[in-house]
Every structure is written in C-alpha cells, then in structure tokens.
Amino acid sequence: MKTPKRIAAWAGILILVGFAAGALIFSFIDAAWAQTALSICLYCAIMVPVFLYAVLLVARVLRRSSNEDPAAKNNSETKDGKKR
C-alpha cells in the first residue's frame, strides 16, 4: 500500500511541475494561443489539487460511514444492560 501512494505522490508532483513549467514557457511566447495556454496551465495548477483534495475528503467520509455497523447504533446498551 505504501508503494502505490508513493508513485501517485511523485506523479502528482511531476504534473504540477509540468503545469508550472508550461506556465513559465507560455508567459514568454507572444501569441494569442499562448495566452490561452497560459490561462489553462494556471487554472489546472490551482484546480487539480483542489479537485483531488475534494475526492480524497469524500472517499474518507464514505469509507468511515461504510465501516460503521448500522445495527450497532440501534441496539446500543449501557454496561448494566439498559438501553440508552
């Protein structure tokens, strides 16, 4: 489990460095398409990590709720055998 996470982290770093390098390169090119490409690079450099954070947050919440036993919630008793 540790190796896939490490590979995914390195892939994410390389993608973000690629967006930054693209933004740097496109900022020096004087063409209409380069301005559009620069905007896309900057947008992706901001939105890709935000989207990935949201996906991981939803996955964590769903994983936590699927691990809970719904029958255990309804049949909760105290130590002396009385229902709450």
Side-chain angles (χ1 to χ4, degrees):
M1 187 67 172
K2 193 175 185 180
T3 304
K5 285 184 181 180
R6 188 174 286 177
I7 292 170
W10 276 106
I13 290 169
L14 290 175
I15 288 171
L16 288 177
V17 167
F19 287 141
L24 182 67
I25 291 168
F26 292 132
S27 67
F28 290 117
I29 298 173
D30 189 26
W33 61 269
Q35 185 176 4
T36 304
L38 174 64
S39 299
I40 291 171
C41 282
L42 293 176
Y43 178 79
C44 288
I46 294 169
M47 292 308 293
V48 167
V50 170
F51 177 73
L52 290 176
Y53 178 76
V55 167
L56 291 174
L57 187 63
V58 168
R60 185 180 308 148
V61 169
L62 291 178
R63 188 178 321 125
R64 193 175 298 161
S65 67
S66 68
N67 289 342
E68 295 176 358
D69 186 18
K73 287 183 182 177
N74 296 335
N75 297 330
S76 60
E77 295 180 357
T78 60
K79 289 182 181 179
D80 57 354
K82 296 180 182 177
K83 287 201 172 213
R84 292 185 189 177

